[in-house]
Amino acid sequence: MANPIQEAIAKRAAQELEQGQIVNLGIGIPTLVANYVDHNHVYLHTENGMLGVEDVLEEDIDPNIVNAGKFAVGEAVGASYFDSAASFAMIRGGHVDVAILGVLQVDEHARIANWAVPGKNIIGVGGAMDLLVGARKVIVTTTHTSKDGKSKILKECKYPITSTRSVNTIITDLAVFNYIDGQLHLVELMPGADLETVETNTEATFVNSLK
Amino acid sequence: MANPIQEAIAKRAAQELEQGQIVNLGIGIPTLVANYVDHNHVYLHTENGMLGVEDVLEEDIDPNIVNAGKFAVGEAVGASYFDSAASFAMIRGGHVDVAILGVLQVDEHARIANWAVPGKNIIGVGGAMDLLVGARKVIVTTTHTSKDGKSKILKECKYPITSTRSVNTIITDLAVFNYIDGQLHLVELMPGADLETVETNTEATFVNSLK
Amino acid sequence: MKFYNSAEEALECVQSGQTIMVGGFGLVGGPLTLIDTLVELDVNDLTIISNNLGEQGQGLGKLLEQKKVKKAIGSYFTGNRDVGDAFQRGEIDIELLPQGTLAESIRAGGAGIAGYYTKTSFGTDLAKGKETKMFKDEEYVLEEALQADVAIIRAYKADTLGNLVYYKTARNFNPLMATAAKTVIVEVDEIVEAGELKSDEIATPHLFVDRVILAKKVLTKEGVVEHG
Amino acid sequence: MKFYNSAEEALECVQSGQTIMVGGFGLVGGPLTLIDTLVELDVNDLTIISNNLGEQGQGLGKLLEQKKVKKAIGSYFTGNRDVGDAFQRGEIDIELLPQGTLAESIRAGGAGIAGYYTKTSFGTDLAKGKETKMFKDEEYVLEEALQADVAIIRAYKADTLGNLVYYKTARNFNPLMATAAKTVIVEVDEIVEAGELKSDEIATPHLFVDRVILAKKVLTKEGVVEHG
């Protein structure tokens, strides 16, 4: 499932994490972030009821240890399990430091849409809305444009938003933006990307804060 | 602490219990009920976080196993411990079959007052209000009259009520009343008591349903 | 609490029109034996409260295929495209809840809490029509408790009193649903004597449990297999 | 999470005017070492959230004696008559809550729930001034969440990550308070290596825990004794 573009985004997202943080990874690119973190220093939380997620070798798979994407995972030393209400109490109560989520769209207010597409059946939301209100910091990872070349970083989300809360950081295959004082700031170009390409492919207004 | 009158009331209260029931005992006379139940058939719940309370011998006391009255108790086979929110979720969620409580007053609507005395500091309520709204059946145990000879079974409680919920059964040193269809029914005289004594000492209106 | 010899006997109480909670997160922690028996029952118009509604033609998906589901309450039905199709055809109602709200509402249902205020979903389509209230300058959405007639859940071990422990991420919704239904039916991998589960480690005290059976279907690395 | 060598160091963060949650049900499960150090600190105007307020001149009762308590929130202060006297003299505010409401409000405070509806206390003096709402023909009282700046609690064992397990009825309010304060300080009887506590049995995962010390005061059959 992983391709080099996704891996590059995941790797960059992992650099945002700090020692001792509790981190929840969404489905898709965020799941790949697990490959780039030191499980002795960053603790992965999964909303289906586990703190201390780590990778698992094929031969060690236990079918009853899975992450939110229902993929088999491993149990880090000191891991713990809990029920879904306790798990979301951690999320909604502000006890998760960072959530890394995938998005369909993100707008210049750093609001995201990642759970529903108009005209399609709205039949799944999972823990996305909970993570957005609860996580202290939210990082979103996404390809900069959709498959048909359209910007995913819009003036305003066209799909239904997931929360009124603005995310803190956007990491794409082209760039890294931080949302500060009500504006998107371009803070970094991804390897191989240039400013012109970012400008062309970004519908949202942003401040160039490259150093 | 126990005297023969209290023991007689507690013993009679124990007869109300049925096999398999989950029972919570309040402080005072209700605590004595534990002496008259078969712990293999009735399971005692205490709101400070334990199911499976039983008596304990002096030499087996563990200071960290106590009941709601902070008295040392024993652990029945199959007992479990849980936090206070889980414990009160059991009570308030309707998972406790019977609560046996002490009262200061009870009125002819079978409403009780057992947590506050006007003019004195209102500074303790504990789990009384929770048990009254949550337990499926509430039995109250009390001496029929106060130390100065006044009826505790009044037309209307003079002290602040503990709940708008009517209790199901009142057991005193003189009589047993059930509350049915909005009326107190005298259903039994305690050993040695006669109808006249009950009538003289009961301010509340009641129906004589003695067989 | 009573032990039953089969899922059929344990599920005899289920009636048309009832609300049924079903534990599990996908197959993990799902009451696989009870689900497969439930879909064989001659009942309909069921309201199912479960995070997912199985997969196409599998598990709870069969119940949908047989048109026995009137309404589904859950957080993620995307894994079974039959759900969306049935919804489009007007065959079922769907109440989509954020997963945290689903979990918390079930807990509330078991805990005597009628409703509670959460920030989750405020300002989104999922909050449409719901009451809101301000606490300390922040807006919250009122969510109501969920309760059921019957819950079917999976645990790892039960003791002879009905105390339960769960296994790893197979815990998920199971302990919550054990608190929020009139009749709680549990399938377990193992039954042990009372006293064998440590008193500090029991996750579901026996007062919540009504019926217990031994699981016949188990999730393995190779998928669901029959045993026993 | 960080280990501290003494209660003094662990409590350095406490400041006047703060809200402090204190675990325990009477002496059982109380953070005895931390309480005795707390009463030595040069802080005042504290709001204490705890089921009880110690006994006359003991534990939290000393804090009251020293007039460092501005407000007490709890369910049962009857065991310490100083509380009622101080209240009569207008020296402290008291917020009396049903014990279930106290517990549930602390849980709510840790779980991102701003308020919830319970039947408990409806129609009584304790519901005076509180909002009510009807759900399915029954009246419920709105109760708000409780949170604190600091929680001091007791656990049985901590591992080196800060995961906690509790002992018997010493559990009570401790795991709840661990979720509802900005800084959570725990005294434990024993510290073990990460991995020694079974993953299914950890009651408080380490994400809730900030500071851990070894307990110096322990409740025994003979009362509170010093050890270590």
Side-chain angles (χ1 to χ4, degrees):
Chain A
M1 107 179 212
N3 65 39
I5 288 175
Q6 292 180 328
E7 293 289 352
I9 297 171
K11 193 173 170 182
R12 178 61 188 80
Q15 292 169 14
E16 295 288 311
L17 304 178
E18 293 165 24
Q19 173 145 354
Q21 283 183 328
I22 309 295
V23 180
N24 185 296
L25 303 178
I27 299 175
I29 298 174
T31 304
L32 303 174
V33 175
N35 300 329
Y36 301 99
V37 303
D38 175 350
H39 294 281
N40 290 319
H41 294 109
V42 167
Y43 307 103
L44 297 183
H45 173 274
T46 183
E47 62 250 41
N48 52 312
M50 180 179 184
L51 176 65
V53 174
E54 71 177 13
D55 301 331
V56 65
L57 296 173
E58 177 65 28
E59 62 263 36
D60 294 330
I61 283 178
D62 180 331
N64 283 307
I65 309 180
V66 299
N67 65 15
K70 303 191 179 85
F71 293 108
V73 293
E75 178 182 310
V77 173
S80 55
Y81 298 95
F82 28 82
D83 68 51
S84 300
S87 185
F88 281 92
M90 292 173 195
I91 293 170
R92 293 149 70 132
H95 307 286
V96 169
D97 297 305
V98 183
I100 305 182
L101 302 173
V103 295
L104 298 169
Q105 301 178 335
V106 52
D107 69 18
E108 62 186 41
H109 310 291
R111 283 187 308 219
I112 70 164
N114 75 346
W115 68 284
V117 178
K120 294 199 182 177
N121 293 319
I122 299 183
I123 53 172
V125 62
M129 291 186 177
D130 304 292
L131 285 160
L132 271 164
V133 302
R136 292 188 201 165
K137 177 175 184 177
V138 177
I139 298 168
V140 296
T141 58
T142 178
T143 53
H144 210 98
T145 55
S146 61
K147 278 173 196 157
D148 56 357
K150 287 189 183 140
S151 180
K152 288 184 175 180
I153 306 181
L154 305 172
K155 289 213 159 297
E156 188 102 23
C157 287
K158 293 190 175 78
Y159 297 166
I161 57 170
T162 308
S163 172
T164 56
R165 180 245 176 99
S166 302
V167 304
N168 303 85
T169 298
I170 303 165
I171 299 172
T172 78
D173 48 327
L174 299 182
V176 179
F177 298 90
N178 286 332
Y179 186 70
I180 303 163
D181 295 334
Q183 285 189 302
L184 286 184
H185 289 254
L186 173 66
V187 293
E188 191 178 319
L189 296 171
M190 288 287 278
D194 58 39
L195 180 59
E196 201 190 329
T197 314
V198 172
E199 285 173 338
T200 309
N201 288 287
T202 305
E203 185 194 297
T205 304
F206 61 87
V207 179
N208 182 344
S209 299
L210 291 173
K211 275 170 197 151
Chain B
M1 108 181 211
N3 66 39
I5 288 175
Q6 292 180 326
E7 293 289 351
I9 297 171
K11 191 173 171 185
R12 178 60 189 82
Q15 290 168 17
E16 294 289 310
L17 303 178
E18 293 165 25
Q19 173 145 359
Q21 283 182 328
I22 309 296
V23 180
N24 185 297
L25 303 178
I27 299 174
I29 297 174
T31 304
L32 303 174
V33 175
N35 300 330
Y36 301 99
V37 303
D38 174 350
H39 294 282
N40 291 318
H41 293 109
V42 167
Y43 307 103
L44 298 183
H45 173 274
T46 183
E47 62 252 40
N48 51 313
M50 179 180 185
L51 177 65
V53 174
E54 75 178 11
D55 301 330
V56 65
L57 296 173
E58 177 65 28
E59 62 262 37
D60 295 329
I61 283 178
D62 179 331
N64 283 305
I65 310 181
V66 300
N67 65 15
K70 303 192 180 87
F71 293 109
V73 293
E75 177 181 310
V77 173
S80 54
Y81 298 94
F82 27 83
D83 67 50
S84 300
S87 185
F88 280 93
M90 293 173 194
I91 291 169
R92 292 149 71 132
H95 307 286
V96 169
D97 297 306
V98 183
I100 305 182
L101 302 173
V103 296
L104 298 170
Q105 299 177 336
V106 52
D107 70 19
E108 63 186 40
H109 311 291
R111 284 189 305 221
I112 70 164
N114 75 346
W115 68 284
V117 178
K120 295 201 182 175
N121 294 320
I122 298 183
I123 52 169
V125 61
M129 291 187 177
D130 304 291
L131 285 159
L132 271 164
V133 302
R136 293 188 201 163
K137 179 176 182 176
V138 177
I139 298 169
V140 297
T141 58
T142 178
T143 54
H144 210 97
T145 54
S146 60
K147 280 175 194 156
D148 56 358
K150 286 190 185 139
S151 181
K152 290 185 175 180
I153 307 180
L154 305 173
K155 288 212 161 299
E156 190 102 23
C157 287
K158 294 190 174 78
Y159 297 166
I161 57 170
T162 309
S163 171
T164 55
R165 181 243 176 101
S166 301
V167 304
N168 304 85
T169 298
I170 302 164
I171 299 173
T172 77
D173 49 327
L174 297 181
V176 179
F177 298 89
N178 287 332
Y179 186 68
I180 303 164
D181 295 335
Q183 285 189 302
L184 286 184
H185 289 255
L186 173 66
V187 294
E188 192 179 317
L189 296 171
M190 290 288 278
D194 57 41
L195 180 60
E196 201 189 328
T197 314
V198 172
E199 285 172 336
T200 309
N201 289 287
T202 306
E203 183 194 300
T205 304
F206 61 87
V207 180
N208 181 345
S209 299
L210 292 172
K211 274 166 197 153
Chain C
M1 202 284 301
K2 210 178 146 193
F3 291 101
Y4 285 74
N5 286 318
S6 71
E8 287 73 14
E9 290 168 67
L11 285 167
E12 234 171 15
C13 57
V14 176
Q15 290 169 21
S16 291
Q18 284 188 329
T19 297
I20 318 284
M21 287 181 179
V22 183
F25 183 75
L27 290 171
V28 178
L32 306 169
T33 315
L34 290 163
I35 289 173
D36 278 5
T37 303
L38 179 68
V39 304
E40 301 296 324
L41 297 183
D42 184 22
V43 292
N44 47 55
D45 284 327
L46 299 177
T47 295
I48 302 292
I49 301 175
S50 189
N51 190 57
N52 317 92
L53 208 61
E55 295 174 29
Q56 262 187 309
Q58 282 180 37
L60 292 174
K62 278 193 224 169
L63 212 58
L64 178 69
E65 230 173 39
Q66 298 167 2
K67 303 191 191 301
K68 289 173 179 170
V69 180
K70 184 177 66 178
K71 183 176 182 180
I73 301 173
S75 93
Y76 199 78
F77 300 120
T78 316
N80 181 353
R81 52 169 299 169
D82 286 353
V83 178
D85 294 344
F87 179 66
Q88 285 299 328
R89 290 195 302 268
E91 288 171 12
I92 60 165
D93 281 343
I94 290 182
E95 187 174 339
L96 188 66
L97 296 171
Q99 197 176 147
T101 298
L102 177 66
E104 188 68 25
S105 290
I106 296 167
R107 180 191 176 277
I113 291 166
Y116 61 92
Y117 291 98
T118 175
K119 271 192 245 183
T120 297
S121 96
F122 178 79
T124 74
D125 287 355
L126 289 191
K128 279 185 183 159
K130 293 187 175 176
E131 282 182 41
T132 61
K133 191 174 170 74
M134 195 91 109
F135 292 85
K136 291 180 191 153
D137 295 332
E138 290 201 89
E139 293 276 13
Y140 288 76
V141 178
L142 175 62
E143 295 285 359
E144 296 196 19
L146 291 170
Q147 293 183 315
D149 297 297
V150 176
I152 58 175
I153 65 168
R154 186 184 200 90
Y156 177 36
K157 293 182 185 176
D159 72 16
T160 48
L161 286 174
N163 289 306
L164 306 178
V165 295
Y166 302 91
Y167 180 80
K168 312 276 179 180
T169 60
R171 189 180 312 198
N172 56 66
F173 290 91
N174 290 303
L176 306 173
M177 290 178 174
T179 71
K182 284 190 204 94
T183 302
V184 174
I185 311 176
V186 193
E187 67 178 89
V188 299
D189 291 311
E190 198 182 334
I191 295 167
V192 301
E193 283 300 315
E196 285 192 35
L197 304 177
K198 265 181 66 187
S199 55
D200 280 322
E201 294 158 13
I202 289 166
T204 295
H206 65 81
L207 53 63
F208 292 117
V209 178
D210 298 298
R211 300 171 177 214
V212 176
I213 64 161
L214 266 174
K216 289 207 171 154
K217 307 211 174 179
V218 178
L219 180 63
T220 69
K221 251 167 113 161
E222 287 71 38
V224 177
V225 299
E226 303 247 352
H227 83 124
Chain D
M1 200 284 301
K2 210 179 146 190
F3 290 101
Y4 284 75
N5 286 319
S6 71
E8 287 73 15
E9 290 169 67
L11 285 168
E12 233 171 14
C13 57
V14 175
Q15 291 168 19
S16 290
Q18 285 188 327
T19 298
I20 317 283
M21 286 181 179
V22 183
F25 183 76
L27 290 172
V28 178
L32 306 170
T33 314
L34 289 163
I35 289 173
D36 278 5
T37 303
L38 179 69
V39 303
E40 302 297 323
L41 297 184
D42 184 22
V43 292
N44 48 54
D45 283 328
L46 299 177
T47 295
I48 301 292
I49 302 176
S50 188
N51 189 59
N52 316 91
L53 207 61
E55 293 174 32
Q56 261 187 312
Q58 283 180 38
L60 292 175
K62 277 194 224 168
L63 211 59
L64 178 70
E65 230 173 41
Q66 298 167 2
K67 302 192 194 301
K68 290 175 179 170
V69 181
K70 183 178 67 178
K71 182 176 181 179
I73 302 174
S75 93
Y76 199 78
F77 300 119
T78 316
N80 181 354
R81 53 169 298 169
D82 285 352
V83 178
D85 293 344
F87 178 67
Q88 286 299 328
R89 290 194 302 267
E91 287 171 9
I92 60 166
D93 281 343
I94 290 182
E95 186 174 338
L96 187 67
L97 296 172
Q99 196 175 149
T101 297
L102 177 66
E104 188 68 25
S105 290
I106 296 167
R107 180 191 176 277
I113 291 167
Y116 61 91
Y117 290 98
T118 174
K119 270 192 249 184
T120 296
S121 95
F122 178 79
T124 74
D125 288 354
L126 290 191
K128 278 184 183 161
K130 293 189 175 177
E131 282 182 41
T132 61
K133 190 173 170 74
M134 193 93 106
F135 292 86
K136 292 180 189 150
D137 296 332
E138 290 201 88
E139 293 275 14
Y140 289 77
V141 178
L142 176 62
E143 295 285 359
E144 296 195 21
L146 292 170
Q147 293 182 317
D149 297 297
V150 176
I152 59 175
I153 65 168
R154 187 184 200 91
Y156 178 35
K157 293 181 187 177
D159 70 17
T160 48
L161 287 173
N163 290 305
L164 306 178
V165 295
Y166 302 90
Y167 181 80
K168 311 279 181 180
T169 60
R171 188 178 314 197
N172 58 64
F173 289 92
N174 290 302
L176 306 172
M177 291 178 173
T179 71
K182 284 189 204 94
T183 302
V184 174
I185 310 175
V186 193
E187 67 178 89
V188 299
D189 291 311
E190 198 181 336
I191 295 168
V192 302
E193 284 300 315
E196 284 191 37
L197 303 177
K198 266 182 66 187
S199 55
D200 281 322
E201 294 157 14
I202 289 166
T204 294
H206 64 81
L207 51 63
F208 292 117
V209 178
D210 298 297
R211 300 172 176 214
V212 176
I213 64 162
L214 268 175
K216 289 208 170 152
K217 307 212 174 179
V218 179
L219 180 63
T220 69
K221 252 169 111 160
E222 286 72 38
V224 177
V225 299
E226 301 246 356
H227 82 126

